[in-house]
Amino acid sequence: MKRNRLVSERKKRDLTSEQLAQIIGISKAMVSHIENGRHWPSGKVIMRLEQFFGIPASKLLAESEQRQQ
């Protein structure tokens, strides 16, 4: 499954998707859609994500490399 860096950054901060949703003012379902690349966030949500994580959206929403086993 495709995932972006948002997932790892959220987990680094020990946050659930529900907690992140509350922090940035969107639904838990929308966080899941964004993390899984099924939905691109609005400009307002992108700004909130960048401010919270301190990472540009271009890096935060880029597809992460998957570890090979």
Side-chain angles (χ1 to χ4, degrees):
M1 178 185 307
K2 293 182 181 179
R3 289 195 176 232
N4 54 41
R5 186 172 169 190
L6 179 57
V7 177
S8 61
E9 293 298 327
R10 175 177 58 79
K11 289 181 178 183
K12 281 183 190 176
R13 289 161 179 79
D14 199 29
L15 293 172
T16 65
S17 56
E18 186 171 3
Q19 290 169 322
L20 178 60
Q22 289 176 346
I23 290 167
I24 62 172
I26 62 175
S27 70
K28 177 183 172 185
M30 185 59 70
V31 169
S32 176
H33 290 308
I34 294 168
E35 287 182 343
N36 291 303
R38 292 188 305 255
H39 183 82
W40 190 258
S42 68
K44 188 180 283 188
V45 172
I46 287 173
M47 286 178 25
R48 291 176 186 165
L49 288 168
E50 288 179 332
Q51 289 175 346
F52 180 75
F53 289 104
I55 299 170
S58 60
K59 292 185 179 181
L60 190 60
L61 298 175
E63 189 175 317
S64 62
E65 294 180 21
Q66 301 211 356
R67 293 183 183 163
Q68 295 182 4
Q69 295 183 7

